[in-house]
Amino acid sequence: MTSFRLSWCQHSLLAVLLCLTAACSPDYNWREVRPADLGLVVMLPGKPAVLTQRVRLDDLELVMTMAGARVGELPFTVACAVLPDDLATTRQRIVAAMRAGMVRNIAGTESSSRDVKVKLIDAAGAVRGEVDGLRLIAAGKVQGRPVQMQALFVAQGRRACQAVAVGEHLPDEEARVFIESLRLLVAGA
């Protein structure tokens, strides 16, 4: 049985999700960003705050970089962990740990999940391929309040990434813009 020790989730990532220091705005000011050290492109609804720290996922200590922005009480966060190797089994283990940890963070239950394709692009934005990802929707509670979560989990090479939007009144359209905008950068393509 795979172990999912995710103490960092309750302390660090949830704190980032709920207490980002990025500027708050009543409006969605969507912008395409390429957060440093993440190797991806995503649309965020404001200027991102970035945090890098060591985390433990499935008994592996990894370096994870997170970037996010919020609108009111709604955080939109992307995070990528650097993996020790590029084996498919390692990617699968870590993606499963990320998924389980995020659902656990909201004491939640998944209401739907589906396989999706995530585009691989070069530095100029040209599509260089696709990789499999998993999109899910879950509902749960944070600090006694009901919340909804929409998330995308994807891994490629030596990285595993997640895009997560959480909130009490999470608008489907805004979550869709965020989740569907995620593209992974590939070097030397």
Side-chain angles (χ1 to χ4, degrees), residues 12-87:
S12 300
L13 190 56
L14 189 58
V16 170
L17 286 172
L18 296 175
C19 301
L20 283 171
T21 58
C24 295
S25 168
D27 297 317
Y28 291 87
N29 182 11
W30 291 107
R31 63 192 72 195
E32 183 177 281
V33 296
R34 295 177 182 224
D37 299 327
L38 282 170
L40 59 78
V41 176
V42 69
M43 297 288 288
L44 284 174
K47 183 179 177 184
V50 179
L51 170 68
T52 298
Q53 63 184 29
R54 296 193 77 70
V55 300
R56 184 166 281 296
L57 287 169
D58 195 45
D59 293 327
L60 292 175
E61 189 169 317
L62 307 171
V63 173
M64 178 177 273
T65 300
M66 297 166 259
R70 61 186 290 151
V71 174
E73 296 296 315
L74 301 174
F76 296 81
T77 306
V78 292
C80 291
V82 178
L83 305 178
D85 56 55
D86 64 356
L87 298 175

Coordinates of all heavy atoms in Angstrom, one line a residue, residues 12-87:
S12 N 1.6 24.1 4.8 CA 2.1 25.0 3.9 C 1.2 25.3 2.7 O 0.9 26.5 2.5 CB 3.5 24.5 3.4 OG 4.4 24.4 4.4
L13 N 0.8 24.3 2.0 CA 0.1 24.5 0.8 C -1.3 25.1 1.1 O -1.8 26.0 0.4 CB 0.0 23.3 -0.1 CG -0.6 23.4 -1.5 CD1 0.2 24.5 -2.3 CD2 -0.6 22.1 -2.2
L14 N -2.0 24.5 2.1 CA -3.3 25.1 2.4 C -3.2 26.5 2.9 O -4.0 27.4 2.5 CB -3.9 24.2 3.5 CG -5.4 24.6 3.8 CD1 -6.2 24.4 2.5 CD2 -5.9 23.7 4.9
A15 N -2.1 26.8 3.6 CA -1.9 28.2 4.0 C -1.7 29.1 2.8 O -2.2 30.2 2.7 CB -0.7 28.3 4.9
V16 N -0.9 28.6 1.8 CA -0.7 29.4 0.6 C -2.0 29.6 -0.2 O -2.4 30.6 -0.6 CB 0.4 28.7 -0.3 CG1 0.4 29.4 -1.7 CG2 1.7 28.8 0.3
L17 N -2.8 28.5 -0.3 CA -4.1 28.6 -1.0 C -5.0 29.5 -0.3 O -5.7 30.3 -1.0 CB -4.7 27.2 -1.0 CG -4.2 26.2 -1.9 CD1 -4.8 24.8 -1.7 CD2 -4.3 26.6 -3.4
L18 N -5.1 29.6 1.0 CA -6.1 30.4 1.7 C -5.6 31.8 2.1 O -6.3 32.7 2.3 CB -6.6 29.7 2.9 CG -7.3 28.4 2.6 CD1 -7.7 27.7 3.9 CD2 -8.6 28.7 1.8
C19 N -4.2 32.0 2.1 CA -3.7 33.2 2.6 C -2.6 33.8 1.7 O -1.6 34.3 2.2 CB -3.1 33.0 4.0 SG -4.3 32.4 5.2
L20 N -2.8 33.6 0.4 CA -1.8 34.2 -0.5 C -1.6 35.7 -0.2 O -2.6 36.4 0.0 CB -2.2 34.0 -1.9 CG -2.0 32.6 -2.5 CD1 -2.7 32.5 -3.8 CD2 -0.5 32.3 -2.6
T21 N -0.4 36.2 -0.4 CA -0.2 37.6 -0.1 C -0.3 38.4 -1.4 O -0.1 39.6 -1.4 CB 1.2 37.8 0.5 OG1 2.2 37.2 -0.4 CG2 1.3 37.1 1.8
A22 N -0.6 37.8 -2.5 CA -0.8 38.5 -3.8 C -2.0 39.5 -3.6 O -2.9 39.3 -2.8 CB -1.1 37.6 -4.9
A23 N -1.9 40.6 -4.4 CA -3.0 41.6 -4.3 C -4.4 41.0 -4.6 O -4.5 40.2 -5.4 CB -2.7 42.7 -5.3
C24 N -5.3 41.4 -3.8 CA -6.7 41.0 -4.0 C -7.4 42.0 -4.9 O -7.2 43.2 -4.8 CB -7.4 40.8 -2.7 SG -6.7 39.6 -1.6
S25 N -8.4 41.5 -5.6 CA -9.1 42.4 -6.5 C -10.5 41.8 -6.6 O -10.7 40.6 -6.7 CB -8.5 42.5 -7.9 OG -9.3 43.1 -8.8
P26 N -11.6 42.6 -6.7 CA -12.9 42.1 -6.9 C -13.1 41.6 -8.3 O -14.1 40.9 -8.6 CB -13.8 43.3 -6.6 CG -13.0 44.5 -6.8 CD -11.5 44.1 -6.5
D27 N -12.2 41.9 -9.2 CA -12.3 41.5 -10.6 C -11.2 40.5 -11.0 O -10.1 40.5 -10.4 CB -12.1 42.8 -11.5 CG -13.2 43.8 -11.3 OD1 -14.4 43.4 -11.2 OD2 -12.9 45.0 -11.2
Y28 N -11.5 39.7 -12.0 CA -10.6 38.8 -12.5 C -9.7 39.5 -13.6 O -10.2 39.9 -14.6 CB -11.2 37.6 -13.1 CG -11.9 36.7 -12.1 CD1 -13.2 37.0 -11.7 CD2 -11.2 35.6 -11.5 CE1 -13.8 36.2 -10.7 CE2 -11.8 34.9 -10.6 CZ -13.1 35.1 -10.1 OH -13.7 34.4 -9.2
N29 N -8.5 39.7 -13.3 CA -7.5 40.4 -14.2 C -6.6 39.3 -14.8 O -5.4 39.2 -14.4 CB -6.7 41.4 -13.4 CG -5.8 42.2 -14.3 OD1 -5.9 42.1 -15.5 ND2 -4.9 42.9 -13.7
W30 N -7.2 38.4 -15.7 CA -6.5 37.3 -16.2 C -5.2 37.7 -17.0 O -5.3 38.7 -17.7 CB -7.4 36.5 -17.1 CG -8.4 35.8 -16.4 CD1 -9.8 36.1 -16.4 CD2 -8.3 34.6 -15.5 NE1 -10.4 35.2 -15.5 CE2 -9.6 34.3 -15.0 CE3 -7.2 33.9 -15.1 CZ2 -9.8 33.3 -14.1 CZ3 -7.4 32.8 -14.2 CH2 -8.7 32.5 -13.7
R31 N -4.1 37.0 -16.7 CA -2.9 37.3 -17.4 C -2.1 36.0 -17.5 O -2.2 35.1 -16.7 CB -2.0 38.3 -16.6 CG -1.6 37.8 -15.2 CD -1.1 38.8 -14.3 NE -2.1 39.7 -13.9 CZ -1.8 40.8 -13.3 NH1 -0.6 41.2 -13.1 NH2 -2.8 41.6 -12.9
E32 N -1.4 35.9 -18.6 CA -0.6 34.7 -18.9 C 0.7 34.9 -18.1 O 1.4 35.9 -18.3 CB -0.3 34.5 -20.3 CG 0.4 33.2 -20.6 CD 0.6 33.0 -22.1 OE1 -0.3 32.5 -22.7 OE2 1.7 33.3 -22.6
V33 N 1.1 33.9 -17.3 CA 2.3 34.0 -16.5 C 3.2 32.8 -16.7 O 2.6 31.7 -17.0 CB 2.1 34.2 -15.0 CG1 1.4 35.6 -14.8 CG2 1.3 33.1 -14.4
R34 N 4.5 32.9 -16.6 CA 5.5 31.8 -16.6 C 6.3 31.9 -15.3 O 7.4 32.4 -15.3 CB 6.4 32.0 -17.8 CG 5.7 31.9 -19.1 CD 6.6 32.1 -20.3 NE 5.9 32.0 -21.5 CZ 6.3 31.4 -22.6 NH1 7.5 30.8 -22.6 NH2 5.6 31.3 -23.7
P35 N 5.7 31.4 -14.2 CA 6.4 31.5 -12.9 C 7.7 30.9 -13.0 O 7.9 29.8 -13.5 CB 5.4 30.8 -12.0 CG 4.1 30.8 -12.6 CD 4.4 30.7 -14.1
A36 N 8.7 31.5 -12.4 CA 10.1 31.0 -12.4 C 10.1 29.7 -11.7 O 9.4 29.4 -10.8 CB 11.0 32.0 -11.6
D37 N 10.9 28.8 -12.2 CA 11.2 27.5 -11.7 C 10.0 26.5 -11.8 O 10.1 25.4 -11.3 CB 11.6 27.5 -10.2 CG 12.9 28.3 -10.0 OD1 13.8 28.2 -10.9 OD2 13.0 29.0 -9.0
L38 N 8.9 26.9 -12.5 CA 7.8 25.9 -12.6 C 7.8 25.2 -14.0 O 7.3 24.2 -14.1 CB 6.5 26.6 -12.4 CG 6.1 26.9 -11.0 CD1 4.9 27.8 -10.8 CD2 5.9 25.6 -10.2
G39 N 8.4 25.9 -15.0 CA 8.4 25.3 -16.3 C 7.0 25.1 -16.9 O 6.7 24.1 -17.6
L40 N 6.2 26.1 -16.7 CA 4.8 26.1 -17.3 C 4.3 27.4 -17.6 O 4.9 28.5 -17.2 CB 3.9 25.3 -16.4 CG 3.7 25.8 -14.9 CD1 2.8 27.0 -14.8 CD2 3.1 24.7 -14.1
V41 N 3.2 27.5 -18.3 CA 2.5 28.7 -18.7 C 1.1 28.5 -18.2 O 0.5 27.4 -18.4 CB 2.5 29.0 -20.2 CG1 1.7 30.2 -20.5 CG2 4.0 29.1 -20.7
V42 N 0.5 29.5 -17.5 CA -0.8 29.4 -17.0 C -1.4 30.8 -16.9 O -0.7 31.8 -16.8 CB -0.8 28.7 -15.6 CG1 -0.2 29.6 -14.6 CG2 -2.2 28.3 -15.2
M43 N -2.7 30.9 -17.0 CA -3.5 32.1 -16.8 C -3.8 32.2 -15.3 O -4.4 31.3 -14.7 CB -4.8 32.2 -17.6 CG -4.6 32.1 -19.1 SD -4.0 33.6 -19.8 CE -5.4 34.7 -19.6
L44 N -3.4 33.4 -14.7 CA -3.8 33.6 -13.3 C -4.6 34.9 -13.2 O -4.4 35.8 -14.1 CB -2.5 33.8 -12.4 CG -1.8 32.4 -12.1 CD1 -0.5 32.7 -11.3 CD2 -2.7 31.5 -11.3
P45 N -5.5 35.1 -12.3 CA -6.4 36.2 -12.2 C -5.7 37.4 -11.5 O -6.4 38.3 -11.1 CB -7.5 35.7 -11.4 CG -6.9 34.7 -10.5 CD -5.8 34.0 -11.3
G46 N -4.4 37.5 -11.4 CA -3.7 38.6 -10.8 C -2.2 38.3 -10.7 O -1.8 37.2 -11.2
K47 N -1.5 39.2 -10.2 CA 0.0 39.1 -10.1 C 0.3 37.9 -9.1 O -0.2 37.9 -8.0 CB 0.6 40.4 -9.6 CG 2.1 40.3 -9.5 CD 2.7 41.6 -9.0 CE 4.2 41.5 -8.9 NZ 4.8 42.7 -8.4
P48 N 1.1 37.0 -9.5 CA 1.3 35.8 -8.6 C 2.3 36.1 -7.5 O 3.3 36.8 -7.6 CB 1.9 34.7 -9.6 CG 2.5 35.5 -10.7 CD 1.7 36.8 -10.8
A49 N 2.1 35.4 -6.4 CA 3.1 35.2 -5.3 C 3.7 33.9 -5.5 O 3.1 33.0 -6.0 CB 2.4 35.3 -3.9
V50 N 5.0 33.8 -5.2 CA 5.8 32.5 -5.5 C 6.4 32.1 -4.2 O 7.0 32.9 -3.4 CB 6.8 32.7 -6.6 CG1 7.6 31.5 -6.9 CG2 6.1 33.2 -7.9
L51 N 6.4 30.8 -4.0 CA 7.0 30.2 -2.8 C 7.7 28.9 -3.2 O 7.1 28.1 -3.9 CB 6.0 29.9 -1.7 CG 6.4 29.0 -0.5 CD1 7.3 29.8 0.4 CD2 5.1 28.6 0.3
T52 N 8.9 28.6 -2.8 CA 9.6 27.4 -3.0 C 10.0 26.8 -1.6 O 10.5 27.5 -0.8 CB 10.9 27.6 -3.9 OG1 10.5 28.1 -5.1 CG2 11.6 26.2 -4.1
Q53 N 9.7 25.5 -1.5 CA 10.1 24.8 -0.2 C 10.2 23.3 -0.5 O 9.9 22.8 -1.5 CB 9.0 25.1 0.8 CG 7.6 24.5 0.5 CD 6.6 24.9 1.5 OE1 6.7 25.9 2.1 NE2 5.6 24.0 1.7
R54 N 10.8 22.7 0.5 CA 10.9 21.2 0.5 C 9.6 20.6 1.1 O 9.1 21.1 2.1 CB 12.1 20.8 1.3 CG 13.4 21.3 0.7 CD 14.7 20.6 1.3 NE 14.9 19.3 0.8 CZ 15.4 19.0 -0.5 NH1 15.5 20.0 -1.4 NH2 15.6 17.8 -0.8
V55 N 9.1 19.5 0.4 CA 7.9 18.9 0.8 C 8.2 17.4 0.8 O 9.1 16.9 0.2 CB 6.7 19.2 -0.1 CG1 6.4 20.7 -0.1 CG2 7.0 18.7 -1.5
R56 N 7.3 16.6 1.5 CA 7.4 15.2 1.5 C 6.1 14.7 0.8 O 5.0 14.9 1.3 CB 7.5 14.6 2.9 CG 7.6 13.1 2.9 CD 8.1 12.6 4.3 NE 9.5 12.7 4.6 CZ 10.5 12.1 3.9 NH1 10.3 11.4 2.9 NH2 11.8 12.2 4.3
L57 N 6.3 13.9 -0.2 CA 5.2 13.3 -1.0 C 5.5 11.8 -1.2 O 6.6 11.5 -1.7 CB 5.0 13.9 -2.3 CG 4.4 15.3 -2.4 CD1 4.5 16.0 -3.7 CD2 2.9 15.3 -2.0
D58 N 4.7 10.9 -0.7 CA 4.8 9.5 -0.9 C 6.2 9.1 -0.4 O 6.9 8.4 -1.2 CB 4.5 9.1 -2.3 CG 4.4 7.6 -2.4 OD1 3.7 7.0 -1.6 OD2 5.0 7.0 -3.3
D59 N 6.6 9.5 0.7 CA 7.9 9.2 1.3 C 9.2 9.7 0.6 O 10.3 9.3 0.8 CB 8.1 7.7 1.5 CG 7.1 7.2 2.6 OD1 6.8 7.9 3.5 OD2 6.7 6.0 2.5
L60 N 9.0 10.6 -0.3 CA 10.1 11.3 -1.0 C 10.1 12.7 -0.6 O 9.1 13.4 -0.6 CB 9.9 11.2 -2.6 CG 10.0 9.9 -3.2 CD1 9.7 10.0 -4.7 CD2 11.4 9.3 -3.0
E61 N 11.3 13.2 -0.3 CA 11.5 14.7 0.0 C 11.8 15.4 -1.3 O 12.8 15.0 -2.0 CB 12.6 14.9 1.0 CG 12.6 16.4 1.5 CD 13.5 16.6 2.7 OE1 13.5 15.8 3.6 OE2 14.2 17.6 2.6
L62 N 11.0 16.3 -1.7 CA 11.1 17.0 -3.0 C 11.1 18.5 -2.8 O 10.6 19.0 -1.8 CB 9.9 16.6 -3.9 CG 9.6 15.1 -4.1 CD1 8.3 14.9 -4.8 CD2 10.8 14.4 -4.8
V63 N 11.6 19.2 -3.8 CA 11.6 20.6 -3.9 C 10.3 21.0 -4.7 O 10.2 20.5 -5.8 CB 12.8 21.3 -4.5 CG1 12.6 22.8 -4.7 CG2 14.0 21.0 -3.6
M64 N 9.4 21.8 -4.1 CA 8.2 22.2 -4.8 C 8.2 23.7 -4.9 O 8.4 24.4 -3.9 CB 7.0 21.7 -4.1 CG 5.7 22.1 -4.8 SD 4.2 21.4 -4.0 CE 4.1 19.8 -4.8
T65 N 7.8 24.2 -6.0 CA 7.6 25.7 -6.2 C 6.1 25.9 -6.5 O 5.5 25.2 -7.3 CB 8.5 26.2 -7.4 OG1 9.9 26.0 -7.0 CG2 8.2 27.7 -7.5
M66 N 5.6 26.8 -5.8 CA 4.1 27.2 -5.9 C 4.0 28.6 -6.3 O 4.8 29.5 -5.9 CB 3.4 27.0 -4.6 CG 3.4 25.6 -4.1 SD 2.9 25.4 -2.4 CE 4.5 25.2 -1.6
A67 N 3.0 28.9 -7.2 CA 2.7 30.3 -7.5 C 1.2 30.4 -7.6 O 0.5 29.5 -8.0 CB 3.3 30.6 -8.9
G68 N 0.7 31.5 -7.1 CA -0.7 31.7 -7.1 C -1.2 33.1 -7.0 O -0.4 34.0 -6.6
A69 N -2.4 33.3 -7.3 CA -3.1 34.6 -7.1 C -4.5 34.4 -6.6 O -5.0 33.3 -6.7 CB -3.1 35.4 -8.4
R70 N -5.1 35.4 -6.0 CA -6.4 35.2 -5.5 C -7.3 36.4 -5.9 O -6.8 37.5 -6.2 CB -6.4 35.0 -4.0 CG -5.8 36.1 -3.2 CD -5.7 35.9 -1.8 NE -7.0 35.8 -1.2 CZ -7.3 35.1 -0.1 NH1 -6.4 34.4 0.5 NH2 -8.5 35.1 0.4
V71 N -8.6 36.1 -6.0 CA -9.6 37.1 -6.2 C -10.5 37.0 -5.0 O -11.2 35.9 -4.8 CB -10.3 36.9 -7.5 CG1 -11.5 37.8 -7.7 CG2 -9.4 37.0 -8.7
G72 N -10.5 38.0 -4.2 CA -11.3 37.9 -3.0 C -10.8 36.7 -2.1 O -9.7 36.6 -1.8
E73 N -11.7 35.8 -1.8 CA -11.4 34.6 -1.0 C -11.1 33.4 -1.9 O -11.0 32.3 -1.4 CB -12.6 34.3 -0.1 CG -12.9 35.4 0.9 CD -11.7 35.6 1.9 OE1 -11.1 34.5 2.4 OE2 -11.3 36.7 2.1
L74 N -10.9 33.6 -3.2 CA -10.7 32.4 -4.1 C -9.2 32.4 -4.6 O -8.8 33.2 -5.4 CB -11.6 32.5 -5.3 CG -13.1 32.6 -5.1 CD1 -13.9 32.8 -6.4 CD2 -13.6 31.3 -4.4
P75 N -8.5 31.4 -4.1 CA -7.1 31.2 -4.5 C -7.0 30.3 -5.8 O -7.8 29.4 -5.9 CB -6.4 30.6 -3.3 CG -7.5 29.8 -2.6 CD -8.8 30.6 -2.9
F76 N -6.1 30.7 -6.6 CA -5.8 29.9 -7.9 C -4.3 29.6 -7.8 O -3.5 30.6 -7.8 CB -6.1 30.7 -9.1 CG -7.6 31.0 -9.3 CD1 -8.2 32.0 -8.6 CD2 -8.4 30.2 -10.1 CE1 -9.5 32.3 -8.7 CE2 -9.7 30.5 -10.2 CZ -10.3 31.5 -9.5
T77 N -3.9 28.4 -7.6 CA -2.5 28.1 -7.3 C -2.0 26.9 -8.2 O -2.7 26.0 -8.5 CB -2.3 27.6 -5.9 OG1 -2.9 28.6 -5.0 CG2 -0.9 27.4 -5.5
V78 N -0.8 27.1 -8.7 CA -0.1 26.0 -9.5 C 1.2 25.7 -8.7 O 1.8 26.5 -8.0 CB 0.3 26.5 -10.9 CG1 -0.9 26.6 -11.8 CG2 1.2 27.7 -10.9
A79 N 1.5 24.4 -8.7 CA 2.7 23.9 -8.0 C 3.4 22.8 -8.8 O 2.7 22.0 -9.4 CB 2.4 23.5 -6.6
C80 N 4.7 22.8 -8.8 CA 5.4 21.7 -9.4 C 6.5 21.2 -8.5 O 7.2 22.0 -7.9 CB 6.1 22.1 -10.8 SG 4.9 22.5 -12.1
A81 N 6.6 19.9 -8.4 CA 7.7 19.3 -7.6 C 8.7 18.7 -8.6 O 8.4 18.1 -9.6 CB 7.1 18.2 -6.8
V82 N 10.0 18.8 -8.2 CA 11.1 18.2 -9.0 C 11.2 16.8 -8.5 O 11.4 16.6 -7.3 CB 12.4 19.0 -8.8 CG1 13.5 18.4 -9.5 CG2 12.2 20.5 -9.2
L83 N 11.2 15.8 -9.4 CA 11.2 14.4 -9.1 C 12.7 13.9 -9.1 O 13.5 14.5 -9.8 CB 10.4 13.6 -10.1 CG 8.9 14.1 -10.2 CD1 8.2 13.2 -11.2 CD2 8.2 14.0 -8.8
P84 N 13.0 12.9 -8.4 CA 14.4 12.3 -8.3 C 14.8 11.6 -9.6 O 16.0 11.4 -9.9 CB 14.3 11.4 -7.2 CG 12.9 10.9 -7.1 CD 12.1 12.1 -7.5
D85 N 13.8 11.2 -10.5 CA 14.1 10.6 -11.7 C 12.9 10.8 -12.7 O 12.0 11.5 -12.3 CB 14.3 9.0 -11.5 CG 13.1 8.4 -10.8 OD1 11.9 8.5 -11.3 OD2 13.2 7.8 -9.8
D86 N 13.1 10.3 -13.9 CA 12.0 10.5 -14.9 C 11.2 9.2 -15.2 O 10.7 9.0 -16.3 CB 12.5 11.2 -16.1 CG 13.5 10.3 -16.9 OD1 13.9 9.2 -16.4 OD2 14.0 10.7 -18.0
L87 N 11.2 8.3 -14.2 CA 10.4 7.1 -14.4 C 8.9 7.3 -14.3 O 8.5 8.1 -13.4 CB 10.8 6.1 -13.3 CG 12.3 5.6 -13.3 CD1 12.6 4.7 -12.1 CD2 12.7 4.9 -14.6

